[in-house]
Amino acid sequence: QVQLVESGGGLVQAGGSLRLSCVASGSTFASYAMGWFRQAPGKEREYVAGVSWSGGSTYYVDSVKGRFTISRDVAKNTVYLQMNSLKPEDTAVYYCAAGPWGDYGYWGQGTQVTVSS
């Protein structure tokens, strides 16, 4: 079992930055890929970024490439999403997920990110 707790969301002006954190508990964390998803009102959940268990492979949706960076610290059981040059369209609830690459089965409760124009 893996429990995930996100933090770091908030309100920021367009062009600003936020760093989301997701702390995982559970002995299998280190063997799982980790991902960040987001869901805006009225829209489907979107896969934003992912990192493999080793940290050697990453994925980004096209709309965030060059602005967001995903990383993980296995020693701290934590995965981060550094978000720079934020845009109003990045406004959403952001969720942390864990599991086999592309087949995430564990989810956090979400953290709200609001970007004002």
Side-chain angles (χ1 to χ4, degrees):
Q1 288 288 336
V2 176
Q3 289 80 45
L4 306 172
V5 179
E6 303 100 331
S7 63
L11 173 65
V12 64
Q13 289 187 332
S17 298
L18 284 174
R19 188 176 79 158
L20 305 183
S21 300
C22 174
V23 179
S25 60
S27 59
T28 56
F29 165 77
S31 65
Y32 281 153
M34 301 292 296
W36 286 96
F37 290 72
R38 65 187 179 187
Q39 188 165 20
K43 295 188 177 181
E44 294 186 352
R45 187 170 293 188
E46 177 182 42
Y47 184 24
V48 176
V51 60
S52 63
W53 69 269
S54 67
S57 296
T58 56
Y59 163 83
Y60 297 97
V61 68
D62 285 346
S63 60
V64 308
K65 286 180 179 178
R67 300 188 298 123
F68 290 11
T69 303
I70 189 170
S71 61
R72 66 189 298 167
D73 186 333
V74 175
K76 295 182 178 179
N77 281 4
T78 302
V79 63
Y80 304 97
L81 185 67
Q82 178 67 44
M83 306 186 295
N84 299 327
S85 302
L86 283 161
K87 304 176 181 180
E89 51 264 44
D90 294 317
T91 295
V93 178
Y94 282 72
Y95 298 90
C96 176
W101 184 265
D103 187 23
Y104 302 105
Y106 298 100
W107 296 86
Q109 82 288 351
T111 185
Q112 176 70 47
V113 171
T114 303
V115 185
S116 63
S117 57

